[in-house]
Amino acid sequence: MTNPPPVSQSGSQPATAAHPGPVPDRLLDAALACFRRLGGKRTRIEDIAAEAGVARTAVYRYYPNKRAIVAALATRWFAEDEATLAAIARDHGRGPADRLRAFLLADAACARRYVTDPCLAEVLDEVVHNLTAVPQQHRAHVRRHLTGLLAEGQAAGGFRAEPAERLAQALDDLMGRFHDPRLTADLDEAVWRERAEIAVEIACQGMRA
């Protein structure tokens, strides 16, 4: 299985001269560190500013409130996921069928890393319930990469001849079970992996010409 890159953990330490970087990124790293230490609900803008080593007013230059920080964190994580999936979709060293299998497994693994980490799960819960445009845009980007991969496989005669966008949406719906924290978070890693691999194999069989 292709493993997704880990969520950035640089927020575990304050941003100081020893940890240089663009202020917006330092603030996000600091926010993650505060969320882990204090919890999302208890974290204040003042805490994030102190963790990042900047004045409280500096935070507002980049993020108007804590919800904007949460949205930016989720957007950064989703961008990492999308980069992983795009690399798989464009790996022309493998055939489309192999890439499709790796793509679906990696997408499921990306989702699992959030639902099995209490801190990340808390952030994503806020995003899902109050910032719905962020995950919706992410899934649209994932389906775009998937559509391109399916279209390539169709051109090679390996996938069924239906609109690639429609097939991508169907696969996204089928694999949605592995994005649901109610059904995923409590599963043992080995059990989860076995179920994911079986589901992906069945989905891939359904895509064959």
Side-chain angles (χ1 to χ4, degrees), residues 171-193:
L171 284 173
D172 202 32
D173 291 343
L174 287 170
M175 296 302 297
R177 178 256 185 275
F178 294 96
H179 295 187
D180 188 338
R182 296 169 301 176
L183 303 175
T184 301
D186 295 332
L187 284 180
D188 176 78
E189 170 70 18
V191 174
W192 175 89
R193 186 179 298 273

Side-chain angles (χ1 to χ4, degrees), residues 109-189:
C110 285
R112 180 174 170 80
R113 72 173 177 170
Y114 302 120
V115 300
T116 56
D117 183 316
C119 176
L120 306 189
E122 182 182 10
V123 173
L124 266 295
D125 185 68
E126 168 75 11
V127 170
V128 168
H129 286 91
N130 298 304
L131 299 160
T132 55
V134 175
Q136 287 174 352
Q137 184 179 51
H138 168 58
R139 294 316 304 170
H141 289 166
V142 171
R143 288 192 298 273
R144 187 182 71 244
H145 293 309
L146 186 53
T147 297
L149 173 54
L150 291 169
E152 183 181 338
Q154 288 174 328
F159 296 149
R160 56 195 300 169
E162 296 182 34
E165 295 87 351
R166 179 180 173 186
L167 293 178
Q169 182 64 68
L171 284 173
D172 202 32
D173 291 343
L174 287 170
M175 296 302 297
R177 178 256 185 275
F178 294 96
H179 295 187
D180 188 338
R182 296 169 301 176
L183 303 175
T184 301
D186 295 332
L187 284 180
D188 176 78
E189 170 70 18

